[in-house]
Amino acid sequence: LMEDYELLTLLRQRRVRMPAFVPFEYQERISILKGHPALCSARRWQRHGVLHVTYTNYRLVNLNERGMDPDQMYMTYYGMPPPKRKTLLSPWEVELQEILNKK
């Protein structure tokens, strides 16, 4: 539910730790991994309205920063228990592990 937010937080933290000037040959580069594209639908925004969805997203970010359990956040967002999982890893973590294990 919060993978994109956590990824951006980690990237921002990493950038802060880097020196102000890094020669081009030593700069890190971000690569886009091949795979299924992310899908985004406007239905939730259309059904609940901009203010409600914006407030809910703001609330979830704050709950995430305070360490709320991901399953509780899922219930807050979707209003039902999360589906059963085979692993505690997120789908992108599983895919990343598979890519790294192939190398």
Side-chain angles (χ1 to χ4, degrees), residues 45-62:
W45 294 85
Q46 292 168 340
R47 186 180 318 128
H48 299 293
V50 173
L51 290 177
H52 175 77
V53 175
T54 301
Y55 170 75
T56 301
N57 290 343
Y58 171 79
R59 186 169 163 236
L60 287 171
V61 166
N62 284 309

Side-chain angles (χ1 to χ4, degrees), residues 3 7 9 20 27 33 39 54 56-58 65 76 80 83 86 93 96 98-99 101:
E3 294 94 350
L7 176 62
T9 300
Q27 290 180 4
L33 301 175
L39 300 177
T54 301
T56 301
N57 290 343
Y58 171 79
E65 287 178 352
T76 300
M80 61 183 171
K86 295 178 184 175
E93 289 172 312
L96 181 59
E98 291 172 0
I99 292 169
N101 289 337

Side-chain angles (χ1 to χ4, degrees), residues 5-63:
Y5 181 79
E6 291 178 13
L7 176 62
L8 288 174
T9 300
L10 290 172
L11 290 173
R12 286 184 186 122
Q13 289 172 353
R14 188 170 181 89
R15 179 63 187 132
V16 168
R17 292 185 187 119
M18 293 181 72
F21 175 76
V22 177
F24 182 77
E25 61 270 12
Y26 298 112
Q27 290 180 4
E28 295 180 342
R29 291 170 185 80
I30 294 177
S31 297
I32 297 174
L33 301 175
K34 293 180 181 179
H36 300 290
L39 300 177
C40 181
S41 172
R43 286 182 301 210
R44 189 173 219 30
W45 294 85
Q46 292 168 340
R47 186 180 318 128
H48 299 293
V50 173
L51 290 177
H52 175 77
V53 175
T54 301
Y55 170 75
T56 301
N57 290 343
Y58 171 79
R59 186 169 163 236
L60 287 171
V61 166
N62 284 309
L63 292 172

Side-chain angles (χ1 to χ4, degrees), residues 71-93:
D71 289 345
Q72 290 176 320
M73 283 198 303
Y74 186 97
M75 287 186 63
T76 300
Y77 190 74
Y78 292 106
M80 61 183 171
K84 299 292 181 202
R85 297 185 295 262
K86 295 178 184 175
T87 178
L88 292 177
L89 298 175
S90 68
W92 70 268
E93 289 172 312

